[in-house]
């Protein structure tokens, strides 16, 4: 088996637990794995105080920092459409979400962007993580939040709407995205869910920029 990132051969020692659970070992080698750095950045809620999004998000968890290795990974996965790379961080997502008593909701791609990219990258990671999810959003705008000023983000029109025919219950929801940059995307999504009746909304992202 070869590493999915550097393609070097990996020697996987089989174990009884791996055989019984149908696990084939890690998708990347130890050398590549060490290039990714876990993050301990805490969410800064201060900049959202006074905005309509102030209490929209009840919690945030991100796994990795946006370092050079992660930039290269995202470029290859999302922009070069190397879909098999969804397996690289699937187990990280599974470890975070498998025991959570919540409804998992991925952030959707705009239809035009989905057509260009050919696959939904967040969905694909969740599929490989064997985490069930539901699509409750439709995207109403295709904009890059990182290019906007703080005030423009505060006053932006909603990025999402609840899909027609969907029912939002008074339950716990977790919004999933790949990259947290300004926090606008997950807060817009959380507010839509809260306004529709959700009791609690958290966000989990693979990366924190």
């Amino acid at each position: 088996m070869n590493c999915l990132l550097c393609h070097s051969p990996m020697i996987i020692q089989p174990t009884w637990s791996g055989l019984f659970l149908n696990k084939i070992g890690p998708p990347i080698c130890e050398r590549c794995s060490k290039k990714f750095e876990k993050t301990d950045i805490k969410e800064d809620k201060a900049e959202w105080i006074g905005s309509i999004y102030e209490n929209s998000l009840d919690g945030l968890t991100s796994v990795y920092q946006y370092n050079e290795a992660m930039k290269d990974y995202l470029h290859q996965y999302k922009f070069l459409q190397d879909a098999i790379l969804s397996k690289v961080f699937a187990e990280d997502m599974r470890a975070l979400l498998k025991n959570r008593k919540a409804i998992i909701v991925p952030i959707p791609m705009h239809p035009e962007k989905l057509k260009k990219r050919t696959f939904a990258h967040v969905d694909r990671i969740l599929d490989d993580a064997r985490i069930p999810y539901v699509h409750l959003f439709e995207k109403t705008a295709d904009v890059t939040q990182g290019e906007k000023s703080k005030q423009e983000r505060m006053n932006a029109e909603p990025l999402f709407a609840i899909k027609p025919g969907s029912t939002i219950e008074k339950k716990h929801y977790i919004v999933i995205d790949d990259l947290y940059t300004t926090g606008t995307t997950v807060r817009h999504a959380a507010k839509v869910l809260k306004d529709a009746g959700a009791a609690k909304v958290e966000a989990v992202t693979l990366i924190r920029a």
Side-chain angles (χ1 to χ4, degrees):
M1 178 178 176
N2 291 344
C3 171
L4 292 181
L5 293 178
C6 70
H7 308 294
S8 61
M10 296 192 300
I11 300 174
I12 306 297
Q13 296 294 336
T15 63
W16 285 112
S17 62
L19 291 172
F20 282 118
L21 297 174
N22 197 28
K23 290 184 177 181
I24 59 173
I28 60 175
C29 66
E30 186 176 358
R31 183 177 61 180
C32 286
S33 181
K34 286 180 177 179
K35 294 179 181 178
F36 298 104
E37 300 174 77
K38 293 291 181 73
T39 182
D40 58 0
I41 299 174
K42 302 301 180 184
E43 182 191 13
D44 182 9
K45 296 182 179 181
E47 69 168 324
W48 298 94
I49 294 174
S51 77
I52 61 174
Y53 303 102
E54 180 177 347
N55 297 311
S56 59
L57 199 62
D58 297 304
L60 169 70
T61 303
S62 299
V63 187
Y64 287 99
Q65 297 181 32
Y66 191 49
N67 63 5
E68 288 301 319
M70 190 59 78
K71 289 179 186 177
D72 291 342
Y73 164 80
L74 274 188
H75 179 74
Q76 188 173 345
Y77 179 45
K78 293 172 65 172
F79 300 103
L80 300 184
Q81 302 168 357
D82 197 350
I84 197 171
L85 295 188
S86 59
K87 297 180 182 298
V88 173
F89 298 112
E91 285 306 311
D92 289 291
M93 276 296 185
R94 180 163 178 79
L96 268 176
L97 298 171
K98 64 180 179 179
N99 294 321
R100 302 294 296 273
K101 303 297 183 183
I103 298 168
I104 307 300
V105 188
I107 293 290
M109 297 176 69
H110 191 278
E112 290 302 315
K113 187 170 286 186
L114 179 58
K115 189 185 301 183
K116 182 178 180 181
R117 298 269 176 87
T118 72
F119 68 97
H121 47 277
V122 175
D123 292 10
R124 183 100 179 203
I125 292 174
L126 290 172
D127 288 337
D128 282 329
R130 306 183 303 284
I131 296 296
Y133 57 88
V134 292
H135 279 292
L136 296 177
F137 300 125
E138 55 183 11
K139 201 160 188 181
T140 57
D142 186 16
V143 293
T144 302
Q145 296 300 320
E147 296 174 356
K148 291 185 175 184
S149 69
K150 174 183 174 180
Q151 199 58 44
E152 286 173 331
R153 286 185 273 119
M154 296 291 188
N155 298 326
E157 290 295 316
L159 299 175
F160 307 101
I162 298 297
K163 291 178 68 174
S166 299
T167 300
I168 306 303
E169 302 177 74
K170 195 172 182 61
K171 292 184 177 181
H172 181 191
Y173 292 79
I174 300 179
V175 174
I176 310 295
D177 205 2
D178 59 342
L179 178 63
Y180 180 110
T181 305
T182 67
T184 304
T185 299
V186 292
R187 280 180 173 80
H188 276 231
K191 187 177 187 304
V192 167
L193 287 171
K194 283 277 187 73
D195 289 349
K200 180 180 179 180
V201 183
E202 295 182 79
V204 168
T205 70
L206 177 64
I207 309 154
R208 174 70 180 261

